[in-house]
Amino acid sequence: LWKFTLRGMWSRPGRTALTFLSLTIGVAVVVAVSIARQTTRAAYQQMFSSLSGGAALEVAADGGGTFDLSLLPQIDRISGVRTAVPVLQQLTVLRFAGRRVSLLVLGVVPERDRAIRSYKFVQGGFWGAEGGLILDDDLARSLGLSVGQEVRMTTSRAGLYRVRVVGLTAKEHHPISLGYMPLEELQGLFGLQGQISTIQIVLQEGADREAVRQAIARVLPTGLSVRPPATESAVARETMNATEQALRLASSFSFLLAAFIILNTFLMNVGERRRQLAVLRTVGATRWQIARMVLRESVLLAILGIALGILVGIAGAKVLLVALSQIMMVSFPPAGVPTQSILLAVGLGLGMALAGAAAPAYRASQLTPLEGMSAVVRGDIESGSDHSVLAGGLLTGLSILGLGAAIRGWIPGDFALWFAISLLVGVVLLTPLGLGLFSWIAVQFFRPWLRGETQLAYRQLLRHRSRSNLTVGVLFVATATGLGMASTILDHIEDLRQWSRTVIAGDFFVRAAMPDMSTGLSAAIPEELGDRLRQIPGVRGVGTARFVRARAAGLPVIVVARDFAPKAPLYLDLVSGTPEEVCQRVIEGEVVIGTVLAERAGLRQGDGIEIETRQGPRRFRIAAVANEYLVGGLAVYMDRRIASQWLEIRGVDTYVILLDPERREEMRELVRRHLEPICQEYGLLLESSAELVQIIDNMSNGVNACLWGILILGFVVAA
């Protein structure tokens, strides 16, 4: 029987290759998405683990930002606390040999910091009295750095600061590079004397964490809280959520297509080998042996398809990680091959093959010698059982109800994917109801040109109804998912382009780096720089923007603090309201929120939204809702004056430079020539609005290219 199995595969190389490639593509897509997702999650978890070290609790400001170091002695004296470790976190840009990299610098006190972090030095060691910078060995090697060399880093108080590298630690794969400096030195560079970002708590052996947490909470002033250290950034999770959902949807549709292909292919296989199978039954083969032959063939193809699919999926994961790194503006570690992804691929690949071959195997086992010798068997002619049609109707109805509930938020949105898949399966099961009618309509359309051929084709379709139903089902799934994904991708590109051209205010932008949406931190630049920019000939105005991590309506958000002015352009993609009215309301203390935040929190224009501030929870009236693509749409726009009052905003992330609109074209190059030496002096980036729009387009094009690739693969499989 093994010979019969192998001979059947080799005698139909085209069909065997089709099934093999269907399995390969389905497995590859799932593996690529799984590896990319796990790699990004693990990278962020490792980074936050490094930030928190071995701490059991941490004290941080509710509205983000820094707070006074004077709390440290009080926390030290609390029973159960072994060590309280102060840490200041500052995002900066490191420059060396003409290269720029984003660097998250931790200001620490070594004597205390050793309680939560183990420093494994590859070269050098801790700084002495003169201070210095400790870097990851991996980053240093990529820059060609060694101990003793100087680098320059962007600071808000000292400008472009020169610092000597004193030590290199064993490399750790983080999405953003980490560095370490003496706490007092880092405080001085950013004008934060006596300020820290967090106090990380190490407990005594046997201490009750909850009891210690409550004791610390009692001594904290309003605006500070104590909690377990974050192991994952909620902001990063929200930013990646939509992309991951799209990739999971595309991979699930690809897998569903492959399962239908295998089912169709094996039914055709059994149909063509019907006489051979009848002869085997005649000479004594049992029903189980016949079924086992068909299943064995599917398992052999599955093993080969899974092996190749894993290899292709690993390569595809690298492409996906590049696209995700462009979205997040960070660098992810090389894609590993998690055991979970391999097991998932093996399980789904074998399950898909066996599910597709189960019905053909059963049909082959039920074949009698007499049926095998006839031209057409009853199973081919039958349109489908009443039970399958009834199941299709029920599945379609329940899926539509489930999708509606998911869209309205009555059930978790993750269920929408499964309801979408079950809807497609349900419609395929209903195909027998319309096969005869739609075939007849097609006959009437083609009859004037191909009368005889059309009639023959019509009879052939109805003669092999089961095969025709499956072929229609495969093409239906491919077309439905293809049109749905294609329209979504095109809409997404157009919406993002429209949004970027609406919200990107100004002619030039001066900044150190893009804000890190994983931590909510941004690289602050000198505030006094604004006075120099305003004095440049041709500059009509200079605005500022600051990105602050916060919580609003119980959700992680980024507060964008901007300078709003009466009768000035709003530069927001409003869903409702007029720009002039909304601008005035924001100046008076109201806020504008993103549509995703509004949907999640069930809010609309005119409602109030509660934001955690340094003075405790504060309720702000919503002036308008706007389309927003930052951090997955969880953004809050606020006037900088109001934000400084409640969130203690310091520093500037971006300077927005506006030119005289009547002389914009003639002044553009002149202003650029004045800006370039200033930016070089401070080590800052200078970008025009067109360049910034191009960056956003590139960020979206990476993921869109991956989705288009998966969509094309689905059509290739269906073809």
Side-chain angles (χ1 to χ4, degrees):
L1 292 178
W2 270 103
K3 291 181 180 180
F4 277 104
T5 299
L6 296 174
R7 190 178 299 162
M9 294 171 62
W10 285 115
S11 63
R12 294 168 178 81
R15 190 163 298 161
T16 300
L18 173 66
T19 309
F20 168 69
L21 289 175
S22 301
L23 282 159
T24 299
I25 293 172
V27 169
V29 171
V30 171
V31 168
V33 172
S34 175
I35 290 178
R37 182 172 180 270
Q38 291 188 54
T39 300
T40 53
R41 295 291 188 189
Y44 278 113
Q45 287 176 354
Q46 184 178 359
M47 183 184 75
F48 279 89
S49 176
S50 297
L51 292 178
S52 61
L57 296 167
E58 68 176 11
V59 176
D62 291 334
T66 59
F67 58 94
D68 203 290
L69 179 62
S70 59
L71 280 171
L72 195 65
Q74 292 178 267
I75 296 176
D76 266 333
R77 292 192 293 268
I78 291 176
S79 176
V81 174
R82 182 163 68 90
T83 308
V85 182
V87 179
L88 176 64
Q89 300 175 3
Q90 286 295 307
L91 187 68
T92 184
V93 176
L94 186 144
R95 297 168 64 97
F96 180 77
R99 296 183 59 187
R100 299 167 46 95
V101 294
S102 294
L103 182 72
L104 180 58
V105 183
L106 305 185
V108 299
V109 180
E111 296 75 19
R112 289 177 176 263
D113 204 61
R114 288 192 185 96
I116 59 173
R117 266 178 282 272
S118 58
Y119 293 86
K120 300 177 182 178
F121 285 100
V122 176
Q123 293 183 43
F126 279 107
W127 47 81
E130 72 284 355
L133 176 66
I134 298 172
L135 293 174
D136 286 340
D137 178 52
D138 190 34
L139 173 63
R141 283 191 290 107
S142 69
L143 295 174
L145 259 174
S146 58
V147 169
Q149 291 184 291
E150 283 190 345
V151 297
R152 294 182 298 170
M153 53 187 286
T154 304
T155 68
S156 60
R157 180 55 58 89
L160 200 56
Y161 179 72
R162 290 184 176 273
V163 61
R164 187 178 302 277
V165 177
V166 298
L168 301 178
T169 60
K171 66 176 183 178
E172 296 185 37
H173 290 306
H174 297 142
I176 186 169
S177 302
L178 292 179
Y180 305 88
M181 291 186 72
L183 177 60
E184 290 186 2
E185 183 178 6
L186 190 63
Q187 288 172 334
L189 293 177
F190 288 88
L192 297 171
Q193 285 82 358
Q195 297 290 302
I196 53 176
S197 303
T198 180
I199 298 176
Q200 296 171 343
I201 312 297
V202 181
L203 302 183
Q204 295 176 353
E205 188 174 350
D208 186 333
R209 186 169 73 168
E210 180 58 25
V212 175
R213 188 196 68 77
Q214 293 178 6
I216 294 174
R218 284 193 289 269
V219 304
L220 295 180
T222 302
L224 298 182
S225 61
V226 56
R227 55 180 180 259
T231 58
E232 184 180 23
S233 169
V235 176
R237 183 174 61 250
E238 293 296 340
T239 303
M240 296 168 58
N241 184 55
T243 300
E244 289 184 352
Q245 290 282 9
L247 293 174
R248 280 200 294 266
L249 184 66
S251 60
S252 300
F253 285 157
S254 179
F255 229 80
L256 181 64
L257 266 177
F260 276 117
I261 302 278
I262 294 167
L263 174 60
N264 201 4
T265 303
F266 273 93
L267 279 176
M268 295 169 73
N269 194 348
V270 169
E272 290 184 357
R273 297 166 61 187
R274 190 172 58 250
R275 297 199 177 197
Q276 180 193 76
L277 298 176
V279 171
L280 288 175
R281 290 283 288 121
T282 303
V283 298
T286 65
R287 296 183 185 275
W288 170 237
Q289 286 177 318
I290 298 297
R292 196 167 58 196
M293 280 179 57
V294 179
L295 294 174
R296 183 188 296 139
E297 185 174 339
S298 70
V299 171
L300 283 175
L301 289 172
I303 292 173
L304 297 174
I306 290 169
L308 182 60
I310 289 174
L311 296 178
V312 175
I314 293 172
K318 296 179 180 179
V319 177
L320 277 179
L321 284 173
V322 170
L324 289 173
S325 66
Q326 290 178 344
I327 291 179
M328 304 293 291
M329 299 298 288
V330 295
S331 176
F332 289 113
V337 187
T339 305
Q340 182 180 348
S341 298
I342 300 300
L343 294 177
L344 179 66
V346 172
L348 288 177
L350 287 174
M352 179 173 60
L354 291 175
Y362 175 77
R363 178 173 292 189
S365 69
Q366 299 303 307
L367 190 69
T368 65
L370 183 59
E371 287 178 325
M373 297 303 174
S374 64
V376 181
V377 297
R378 186 181 69 254
D380 281 346
I381 299 175
E382 290 175 348
S383 176
S385 68
D386 294 338
H387 295 294
S388 64
V389 173
L390 179 61
L394 290 174
L395 194 59
T396 301
L398 291 174
S399 299
I400 292 174
L401 292 175
L403 281 172
I407 290 172
R408 290 184 172 274
W410 297 341
I411 59 176
D414 290 341
F415 286 102
L417 172 62
W418 301 108
F419 283 124
I421 294 174
S422 63
L423 175 62
L424 293 176
V425 175
V427 174
V428 170
L429 291 176
L430 290 175
T431 302
L433 293 178
L435 181 65
L437 174 62
F438 288 110
S439 299
W440 180 84
I441 294 174
V443 166
Q444 305 312 309
F445 179 79
F446 287 106
R447 189 187 296 274
W449 302 282
L450 301 169
R451 184 179 182 87
E453 294 89 337
T454 302
Q455 194 64 31
L456 287 171
Y458 175 61
R459 291 181 180 180
Q460 181 72 358
L461 286 176
L462 298 185
R463 192 182 191 193
H464 299 278
R465 287 177 179 268
S466 59
R467 185 186 303 174
S468 299
N469 287 329
L470 273 174
T471 304
V472 170
V474 169
L475 294 174
F476 160 73
V477 173
T479 305
T481 57
L483 286 175
M485 285 185 59
S487 62
T488 300
I489 293 171
L490 292 174
D491 285 348
H492 169 72
I493 294 175
E494 183 58 33
D495 288 348
L496 188 56
R497 285 176 177 169
Q498 180 182 347
W499 171 83
S500 63
R501 285 154 179 78
T502 302
V503 304
I504 293 180
D507 297 282
F508 290 102
F509 299 85
V510 175
R511 58 191 174 97
M514 279 287 287
D516 176 33
M517 294 307 175
S518 63
T519 60
L521 297 174
S522 53
I525 55 182
E527 291 188 59
E528 64 270 14
L529 181 60
D531 295 332
R532 292 185 61 180
L533 298 177
R534 292 182 182 92
Q535 295 172 6
I536 296 175
V539 172
R540 190 192 68 178
V542 177
T544 64
R546 186 79 164 100
F547 299 87
V548 182
R549 179 177 54 186
R551 291 188 67 84
L555 295 169
V557 300
I558 292 292
V559 173
V560 184
R562 274 178 35 191
D563 296 313
F564 291 85
K567 299 182 179 179
L570 188 62
Y571 297 112
L572 289 174
D573 189 10
L574 296 179
V575 174
S576 60
T578 61
E580 296 79 10
E581 179 186 3
V582 171
C583 184
Q584 185 59 40
R585 288 185 176 182
V586 172
I587 294 173
E588 293 172 357
E590 298 185 16
V591 299
V592 177
I593 66 174
T595 49
V596 177
L597 175 58
E599 181 71 23
R600 295 274 186 92
L603 299 171
R604 62 181 183 271
Q605 184 180 12
D607 291 344
I609 183 170
E610 189 175 87
I611 300 177
E612 296 180 6
T613 73
R614 297 295 293 274
Q615 287 79 36
R618 165 76 178 177
R619 198 167 187 83
F620 294 87
R621 191 172 187 270
I622 299 173
V625 177
N627 292 314
E628 184 55 63
Y629 281 86
L630 287 175
V631 291
L634 300 180
V636 176
Y637 282 87
M638 187 181 295
D639 185 72
R640 182 181 176 90
R641 177 179 53 84
I642 304 298
S644 300
Q645 176 184 351
W646 294 101
L647 300 176
E648 298 189 14
I649 288 179
R650 301 180 183 182
V652 175
D653 296 334
T654 303
Y655 283 104
V656 183
I657 299 171
L658 301 172
L659 305 183
D660 187 343
E662 297 181 357
R663 305 176 57 198
R664 176 171 287 124
E665 295 304 322
E666 62 177 287
M667 299 301 297
R668 193 184 302 275
E669 287 305 316
L670 176 63
V671 172
R672 180 184 281 274
R673 286 198 296 270
H674 281 87
L675 288 172
E676 286 175 347
I678 295 176
C679 291
Q680 290 176 2
E681 177 185 344
Y682 286 91
L684 303 176
L685 289 172
L686 173 63
E687 294 162 329
S688 66
S689 57
E691 291 168 341
L692 204 55
V693 166
Q694 186 60 49
I695 291 173
I696 293 174
D697 287 345
N698 291 338
M699 289 166 59
S700 64
N701 288 342
V703 169
N704 287 331
C706 294
L707 292 175
W708 276 115
I710 295 172
L711 173 59
I712 292 170
L713 286 177
F715 273 107
V716 169
V717 172

